[in-house]
Amino acid sequence: MANLAEATSPQQFEELLQKAGKSLVVVHFLAPWAPQCTQMNDVMAELAKENAQVTFVKLEAEAVPEVSEKYEISSVPTFLFFKNNQKVDRLDGAHAPELTKKVQRHSSAAVPMGMGVAAKEDLNERLKKLVNAAPCMLFMKGSPQEPCCGFSRQIVELFKQHSIQYSSFDILSDEEVRQGLKTFSNWPTYPQVYVNGELVGGLDIVKELAESGELENTCPKAITLENRLKSLINKNNVMLFMKGNKEMAKCGFSRQILEMLNSTGVEYDTFDILQDEEVRQGLKTFSNWPTYPQLYVKGELIGGHDIVKELKESGDLESVLKGEN
């Protein structure tokens, strides 16, 4: 992507700022070892697709200390916003909705004149992607955690009561989407619910579906945490829940257990609990095992580091992994 770059030196950083001129530049100060930075890189890549007039820059904070110190970067991820080579805003932490809001706010004046028809076509394409972003999409004021109007709050409660699985979009964060979707769907009010890209309707229609018992048939049901955990521990015959992954363990116990598994030659898969707090906490209760790593064979808990070490020392590890014991 032409508008997604990486700065590996102070000189390259300054050149990118100068090249952008009056256009917005968003700089992500990151660390490769921080999972939240990886997540925000994905968010930034999506924003880059939707905001071609904005330059997005990745900068490894510890690798370019001159720039990090100049702008007082003390934690990652941190985002700085520049226009005309001057810093205009800052965002500390992994807050995707807030990053989106700031990009929209600071770039809104950067769209060139004379692009009305092209801009409308681009907006329609963006709206198509948004309504198809998840099997069930709710366009609302605010977020499910913090609804900003009574109608949005009611629809969130209905979805919660009926265990509906959905994603949401805060129309207050994007005026272009807020106005454009009304025309796109020929529906003048919010909230709006879409299933498989098709408009279902607003609060009144969702209420009617709930009262008639049709809501669960119309919208996808959420997968319970228990079912999700069962699916994860059975994803492979041998599953290791750890801090990090096969390529990069992020704690000593996880690193040691990887070495023991690798020595057997038995195929296995891993799940990084640092990437999913719900799984990290839920699996402790599900398995009645309070620590990580945790090793499962054919959906059954074998144990943690100490037990795997004992199996390795007794010569039983390979046969246990193969399900022979």
Side-chain angles (χ1 to χ4, degrees):
M1 243 179 297
N3 63 328
L4 186 60
E6 187 168 357
T8 56
S9 68
Q11 294 77 14
Q12 195 175 9
F13 172 74
E14 292 296 336
E15 287 170 7
L16 286 166
L17 291 186
Q18 290 170 10
K19 185 179 178 182
K22 295 180 181 179
S23 297
L24 178 67
V25 179
V26 181
V27 184
H28 178 198
F29 289 81
L30 59 91
W33 47 261
Q36 61 268 37
C37 291
T38 303
Q39 293 167 5
M40 294 306 291
N41 273 340
D42 294 339
V43 172
M44 202 164 72
E46 287 302 311
L47 288 172
K49 293 176 187 175
E50 298 169 4
N51 299 273
Q53 77 278 16
V54 180
T55 301
F56 293 86
V57 179
K58 293 186 284 186
L59 188 149
E60 190 176 331
E62 293 175 348
V64 194
E66 302 92 335
V67 177
S68 300
E69 289 168 10
K70 179 179 178 180
Y71 293 101
E72 299 179 342
I73 305 300
S74 58
S75 63
V76 292
T78 292
F79 294 86
L80 296 186
F81 302 77
F82 293 86
K83 272 187 177 180
N84 293 318
N85 219 16
Q86 298 295 315
K87 188 184 80 171
V88 296
D89 207 346
R90 178 183 182 122
L91 175 64
D92 293 284
H95 306 293
E98 189 63 25
L99 177 62
T100 304
K101 286 181 187 177
K102 286 181 181 287
V103 170
Q104 292 294 336
R105 184 163 71 245
H106 290 298
S107 66
S108 58
V111 180
M113 295 177 66
M115 293 182 65
V117 174
K120 188 173 181 181
E121 289 175 356
D122 289 344
L123 176 59
N124 280 339
E125 283 303 311
R126 185 173 172 222
L127 294 174
K128 283 179 186 177
K129 289 180 181 177
L130 282 172
V131 299
N132 284 284
C136 181
M137 280 294 298
L138 170 63
F139 291 81
M140 61 181 290
K141 293 180 180 179
S143 67
Q145 293 75 33
E146 295 182 11
C148 293
C149 80
F151 295 132
S152 293
R153 186 175 294 107
Q154 289 180 58
I155 212 163
V156 166
E157 280 301 313
L158 280 170
F159 278 0
K160 186 177 179 181
Q161 290 166 15
H162 292 268
S163 301
I164 301 302
Q165 184 176 17
Y166 67 100
S167 293
S168 67
F169 184 93
D170 179 6
I171 58 162
L172 298 179
S173 71
D174 193 317
E175 189 63 22
E176 186 181 47
V177 169
R178 181 179 185 175
Q179 299 304 328
L181 198 59
K182 293 178 183 179
T183 305
F184 179 84
S185 61
N186 195 26
W187 194 272
T189 59
Y190 290 98
Q192 294 182 15
V193 176
Y194 293 76
V195 172
N196 297 324
E198 297 293 327
L199 176 68
V200 173
L203 176 61
D204 290 343
I205 288 178
V206 171
K207 276 184 174 179
E208 289 174 11
L209 289 169
E211 289 166 1
S212 67
E214 288 297 310
L215 186 59
E216 287 89 343
N217 296 329
T218 304
C219 301
K221 290 274 284 183
I223 301 171
T224 65
L225 177 58
E226 183 179 357
N227 286 339
R228 188 177 172 216
L229 294 174
K230 285 179 180 176
S231 176
L232 281 172
I233 64 177
N234 285 284
K235 185 180 175 185
N236 195 302
N237 280 344
V238 181
M239 279 295 299
L240 176 65
F241 292 80
M242 61 178 288
K243 293 178 180 179
N245 55 42
K246 279 185 182 181
E247 288 71 37
M248 184 182 292
K250 293 184 177 175
C251 81
F253 292 128
S254 293
R255 188 176 298 109
Q256 290 174 44
I257 208 167
L258 281 180
E259 291 171 357
M260 289 186 277
L261 293 180
N262 289 338
S263 71
T264 67
V266 176
E267 184 184 345
Y268 66 96
D269 203 352
T270 62
F271 184 93
D272 183 0
I273 58 161
L274 298 178
Q275 299 279 7
D276 195 317
E277 190 63 21
E278 184 182 48
V279 170
R280 181 178 186 174
Q281 300 304 328
L283 197 60
K284 293 178 184 179
T285 305
F286 179 84
S287 61
N288 195 26
W289 195 271
T291 59
Y292 290 98
Q294 293 183 18
L295 180 68
Y296 291 77
V297 174
K298 295 183 178 178
E300 296 294 327
L301 176 68
I302 301 302
H305 172 271
D306 290 345
I307 288 178
V308 173
K309 187 177 180 182
E310 289 173 10
L311 289 169
K312 170 73 173 170
E313 291 171 351
S314 68
D316 294 325
L317 181 58
E318 186 174 342
S319 59
V320 168
L321 294 179
K322 291 179 178 178
E324 296 171 358
N325 282 4

Short mmCIF file of all heavy atoms in Angstrom, two decimals, residues 40-76:
data_model
loop_
_atom_site.label_atom_id
_atom_site.label_comp_id
_atom_site.label_asym_id
_atom_site.label_seq_id
_atom_site.Cartn_x
_atom_site.Cartn_y
_atom_site.Cartn_z
N MET A 40 -2.92 -3.34 16.63
CA MET A 40 -3.13 -1.98 16.12
C MET A 40 -2.51 -1.80 14.73
O MET A 40 -2.98 -0.96 13.95
CB MET A 40 -2.56 -0.95 17.10
CG MET A 40 -3.31 -0.91 18.44
SD MET A 40 -5.10 -0.67 18.28
CE MET A 40 -5.17 1.02 17.68
N ASN A 41 -1.48 -2.59 14.40
CA ASN A 41 -0.96 -2.57 13.02
C ASN A 41 -2.04 -3.01 12.04
O ASN A 41 -2.18 -2.47 10.94
CB ASN A 41 0.26 -3.48 12.89
CG ASN A 41 1.55 -2.78 13.25
OD1 ASN A 41 1.62 -1.55 13.24
ND2 ASN A 41 2.58 -3.55 13.55
N ASP A 42 -2.81 -4.04 12.44
CA ASP A 42 -3.91 -4.53 11.59
C ASP A 42 -4.98 -3.46 11.43
O ASP A 42 -5.53 -3.27 10.34
CB ASP A 42 -4.52 -5.80 12.19
CG ASP A 42 -3.56 -6.98 12.20
OD1 ASP A 42 -2.61 -6.95 11.41
OD2 ASP A 42 -3.76 -7.91 13.00
N VAL A 43 -5.29 -2.77 12.54
CA VAL A 43 -6.27 -1.69 12.48
C VAL A 43 -5.78 -0.59 11.54
O VAL A 43 -6.53 -0.07 10.71
CB VAL A 43 -6.52 -1.11 13.89
CG1 VAL A 43 -7.40 0.15 13.82
CG2 VAL A 43 -7.18 -2.15 14.79
N MET A 44 -4.50 -0.25 11.67
CA MET A 44 -3.93 0.82 10.84
C MET A 44 -3.95 0.44 9.36
O MET A 44 -4.18 1.28 8.49
CB MET A 44 -2.52 1.13 11.31
CG MET A 44 -2.06 2.52 10.90
SD MET A 44 -0.60 3.11 11.80
CE MET A 44 0.68 2.09 11.08
N ALA A 45 -3.70 -0.84 9.07
CA ALA A 45 -3.73 -1.30 7.68
C ALA A 45 -5.12 -1.13 7.07
O ALA A 45 -5.27 -0.74 5.91
CB ALA A 45 -3.28 -2.76 7.60
N GLU A 46 -6.16 -1.42 7.88
CA GLU A 46 -7.53 -1.23 7.40
C GLU A 46 -7.83 0.24 7.19
O GLU A 46 -8.47 0.63 6.21
CB GLU A 46 -8.53 -1.84 8.40
CG GLU A 46 -8.56 -3.35 8.41
CD GLU A 46 -8.89 -3.92 7.04
OE1 GLU A 46 -9.88 -3.46 6.43
OE2 GLU A 46 -8.17 -4.81 6.57
N LEU A 47 -7.37 1.09 8.13
CA LEU A 47 -7.59 2.53 7.99
C LEU A 47 -6.88 3.07 6.75
O LEU A 47 -7.38 3.97 6.08
CB LEU A 47 -7.10 3.26 9.24
CG LEU A 47 -7.95 3.09 10.50
CD1 LEU A 47 -7.24 3.69 11.71
CD2 LEU A 47 -9.32 3.75 10.32
N ALA A 48 -5.71 2.50 6.45
CA ALA A 48 -4.97 2.94 5.27
C ALA A 48 -5.75 2.65 3.98
O ALA A 48 -5.72 3.44 3.03
CB ALA A 48 -3.60 2.26 5.23
N LYS A 49 -6.43 1.51 3.97
CA LYS A 49 -7.26 1.17 2.79
C LYS A 49 -8.39 2.17 2.61
O LYS A 49 -8.76 2.52 1.49
CB LYS A 49 -7.84 -0.24 2.94
CG LYS A 49 -6.83 -1.36 2.91
CD LYS A 49 -7.53 -2.70 3.17
CE LYS A 49 -6.54 -3.84 3.32
NZ LYS A 49 -7.21 -5.10 3.68
N GLU A 50 -8.96 2.62 3.73
CA GLU A 50 -10.14 3.49 3.68
C GLU A 50 -9.79 4.97 3.58
O GLU A 50 -10.66 5.79 3.28
CB GLU A 50 -11.00 3.26 4.93
CG GLU A 50 -11.54 1.85 5.05
CD GLU A 50 -12.16 1.57 6.41
OE1 GLU A 50 -12.22 2.51 7.23
OE2 GLU A 50 -12.57 0.42 6.66
N ASN A 51 -8.53 5.33 3.85
CA ASN A 51 -8.13 6.74 3.87
C ASN A 51 -6.87 6.92 3.02
O ASN A 51 -5.77 7.09 3.55
CB ASN A 51 -7.87 7.21 5.31
CG ASN A 51 -9.11 7.09 6.18
OD1 ASN A 51 -9.93 8.00 6.24
ND2 ASN A 51 -9.24 5.96 6.88
N ALA A 52 -7.07 6.87 1.70
CA ALA A 52 -5.94 6.90 0.77
C ALA A 52 -5.17 8.22 0.84
O ALA A 52 -3.99 8.28 0.48
CB ALA A 52 -6.43 6.67 -0.65
N GLN A 53 -5.82 9.29 1.33
CA GLN A 53 -5.17 10.60 1.39
C GLN A 53 -4.31 10.77 2.65
O GLN A 53 -3.64 11.78 2.81
CB GLN A 53 -6.23 11.72 1.32
CG GLN A 53 -7.01 11.97 2.62
CD GLN A 53 -8.16 10.99 2.83
OE1 GLN A 53 -8.24 9.95 2.20
NE2 GLN A 53 -9.08 11.36 3.72
N VAL A 54 -4.34 9.78 3.54
CA VAL A 54 -3.58 9.84 4.79
C VAL A 54 -2.36 8.91 4.69
O VAL A 54 -2.46 7.80 4.16
CB VAL A 54 -4.46 9.42 5.99
CG1 VAL A 54 -3.66 9.47 7.29
CG2 VAL A 54 -5.69 10.31 6.09
N THR A 55 -1.22 9.37 5.20
CA THR A 55 -0.03 8.53 5.25
C THR A 55 0.09 7.90 6.63
O THR A 55 0.03 8.60 7.65
CB THR A 55 1.24 9.36 4.97
OG1 THR A 55 1.13 9.96 3.68
CG2 THR A 55 2.49 8.49 5.02
N PHE A 56 0.23 6.59 6.68
CA PHE A 56 0.36 5.85 7.94
C PHE A 56 1.80 5.31 8.03
O PHE A 56 2.28 4.67 7.10
CB PHE A 56 -0.65 4.70 8.01
CG PHE A 56 -2.07 5.17 8.08
CD1 PHE A 56 -2.78 5.46 6.92
CD2 PHE A 56 -2.71 5.33 9.31
CE1 PHE A 56 -4.09 5.89 6.98
CE2 PHE A 56 -4.02 5.76 9.37
CZ PHE A 56 -4.72 6.05 8.21
N VAL A 57 2.44 5.56 9.16
CA VAL A 57 3.85 5.20 9.32
C VAL A 57 4.03 4.33 10.56
O VAL A 57 3.54 4.67 11.65
CB VAL A 57 4.74 6.47 9.46
CG1 VAL A 57 6.20 6.07 9.66
CG2 VAL A 57 4.57 7.37 8.25
N LYS A 58 4.74 3.22 10.39
CA LYS A 58 5.12 2.37 11.52
C LYS A 58 6.56 2.69 11.92
O LYS A 58 7.42 2.77 11.06
CB LYS A 58 4.99 0.89 11.15
CG LYS A 58 3.56 0.44 10.91
CD LYS A 58 3.46 -1.05 10.67
CE LYS A 58 3.94 -1.44 9.29
NZ LYS A 58 3.70 -2.88 9.00
N LEU A 59 6.78 2.87 13.23
CA LEU A 59 8.11 3.21 13.71
C LEU A 59 8.39 2.43 14.99
O LEU A 59 7.64 2.55 15.97
CB LEU A 59 8.23 4.72 13.95
CG LEU A 59 9.62 5.26 14.28
CD1 LEU A 59 9.78 6.68 13.75
CD2 LEU A 59 9.89 5.26 15.79
N GLU A 60 9.43 1.60 14.97
CA GLU A 60 9.79 0.81 16.15
C GLU A 60 10.47 1.74 17.17
O GLU A 60 11.56 2.25 16.93
CB GLU A 60 10.72 -0.33 15.75
CG GLU A 60 10.94 -1.33 16.88
CD GLU A 60 11.78 -2.52 16.44
OE1 GLU A 60 11.75 -2.88 15.25
OE2 GLU A 60 12.47 -3.09 17.32
N ALA A 61 9.80 1.95 18.30
CA ALA A 61 10.21 2.99 19.26
C ALA A 61 11.65 2.81 19.75
O ALA A 61 12.42 3.78 19.82
CB ALA A 61 9.24 3.01 20.44
N GLU A 62 12.02 1.57 20.09
CA GLU A 62 13.35 1.33 20.65
C GLU A 62 14.44 1.36 19.58
O GLU A 62 15.61 1.58 19.88
CB GLU A 62 13.37 -0.01 21.39
CG GLU A 62 12.48 -0.01 22.64
CD GLU A 62 12.41 -1.38 23.30
OE1 GLU A 62 12.86 -2.36 22.68
OE2 GLU A 62 11.90 -1.46 24.43
N ALA A 63 14.06 1.15 18.33
CA ALA A 63 15.05 1.11 17.24
C ALA A 63 15.39 2.52 16.74
O ALA A 63 16.44 2.72 16.13
CB ALA A 63 14.53 0.27 16.08
N VAL A 64 14.49 3.48 16.97
CA VAL A 64 14.75 4.87 16.56
C VAL A 64 14.57 5.77 17.79
O VAL A 64 13.62 6.55 17.89
CB VAL A 64 13.78 5.29 15.43
CG1 VAL A 64 14.27 6.58 14.77
CG2 VAL A 64 13.64 4.20 14.37
N PRO A 65 15.49 5.65 18.77
CA PRO A 65 15.31 6.35 20.05
C PRO A 65 15.32 7.87 19.93
O PRO A 65 14.69 8.56 20.74
CB PRO A 65 16.50 5.86 20.89
CG PRO A 65 17.52 5.39 19.88
CD PRO A 65 16.72 4.86 18.74
N GLU A 66 16.02 8.40 18.90
CA GLU A 66 16.07 9.86 18.76
C GLU A 66 14.67 10.45 18.57
O GLU A 66 14.31 11.46 19.18
CB GLU A 66 16.95 10.25 17.55
CG GLU A 66 18.38 9.73 17.63
CD GLU A 66 18.56 8.37 16.96
OE1 GLU A 66 17.57 7.62 16.85
OE2 GLU A 66 19.69 8.08 16.56
N VAL A 67 13.88 9.79 17.75
CA VAL A 67 12.52 10.27 17.49
C VAL A 67 11.62 10.02 18.70
O VAL A 67 10.84 10.88 19.10
CB VAL A 67 11.93 9.58 16.23
CG1 VAL A 67 10.50 10.03 16.00
CG2 VAL A 67 12.78 9.90 15.02
N SER A 68 11.76 8.84 19.31
CA SER A 68 10.93 8.50 20.47
C SER A 68 11.17 9.46 21.62
O SER A 68 10.23 9.90 22.29
CB SER A 68 11.23 7.06 20.92
OG SER A 68 10.94 6.14 19.89
N GLU A 69 12.44 9.79 21.86
CA GLU A 69 12.76 10.72 22.96
C GLU A 69 12.27 12.14 22.65
O GLU A 69 11.79 12.84 23.53
CB GLU A 69 14.27 10.72 23.19
CG GLU A 69 14.77 9.43 23.83
CD GLU A 69 16.28 9.31 23.82
OE1 GLU A 69 16.96 10.32 23.48
OE2 GLU A 69 16.79 8.21 24.11
N LYS A 70 12.40 12.55 21.40
CA LYS A 70 11.98 13.89 21.01
C LYS A 70 10.49 14.11 21.30
O LYS A 70 10.08 15.19 21.75
CB LYS A 70 12.24 14.09 19.51
CG LYS A 70 11.81 15.46 18.99
CD LYS A 70 12.12 15.60 17.51
CE LYS A 70 11.64 16.96 16.98
NZ LYS A 70 11.92 17.12 15.53
N TYR A 71 9.69 13.06 21.06
CA TYR A 71 8.24 13.20 21.25
C TYR A 71 7.75 12.54 22.54
O TYR A 71 6.56 12.31 22.72
CB TYR A 71 7.50 12.63 20.03
CG TYR A 71 7.74 13.45 18.78
CD1 TYR A 71 8.65 13.02 17.82
CD2 TYR A 71 7.09 14.66 18.60
CE1 TYR A 71 8.89 13.77 16.68
CE2 TYR A 71 7.33 15.42 17.45
CZ TYR A 71 8.23 14.98 16.51
OH TYR A 71 8.48 15.74 15.39
N GLU A 72 8.69 12.24 23.44
CA GLU A 72 8.38 11.73 24.79
C GLU A 72 7.50 10.49 24.75
O GLU A 72 6.46 10.41 25.41
CB GLU A 72 7.73 12.84 25.62
CG GLU A 72 8.63 14.05 25.81
CD GLU A 72 7.97 15.15 26.61
OE1 GLU A 72 6.72 15.13 26.74
OE2 GLU A 72 8.68 16.03 27.12
N ILE A 73 7.93 9.51 23.95
CA ILE A 73 7.20 8.23 23.88
C ILE A 73 7.66 7.36 25.05
O ILE A 73 8.82 6.95 25.10
CB ILE A 73 7.47 7.52 22.54
CG1 ILE A 73 7.13 8.43 21.35
CG2 ILE A 73 6.67 6.21 22.46
CD1 ILE A 73 5.70 8.91 21.29
N SER A 74 6.76 7.08 25.97
CA SER A 74 7.12 6.31 27.17
C SER A 74 6.46 4.93 27.19
O SER A 74 6.80 4.09 28.03
CB SER A 74 6.73 7.08 28.43
OG SER A 74 5.35 7.37 28.43
N SER A 75 5.51 4.69 26.30
CA SER A 75 4.83 3.39 26.25
C SER A 75 4.36 3.12 24.84
O SER A 75 4.27 4.04 24.01
CB SER A 75 3.62 3.36 27.21
OG SER A 75 2.65 4.32 26.81
N VAL A 76 4.08 1.84 24.56
CA VAL A 76 3.57 1.46 23.24
C VAL A 76 2.27 0.67 23.41
O VAL A 76 2.09 0.01 24.44
CB VAL A 76 4.60 0.61 22.46
CG1 VAL A 76 5.82 1.43 22.10
CG2 VAL A 76 5.01 -0.64 23.26
#
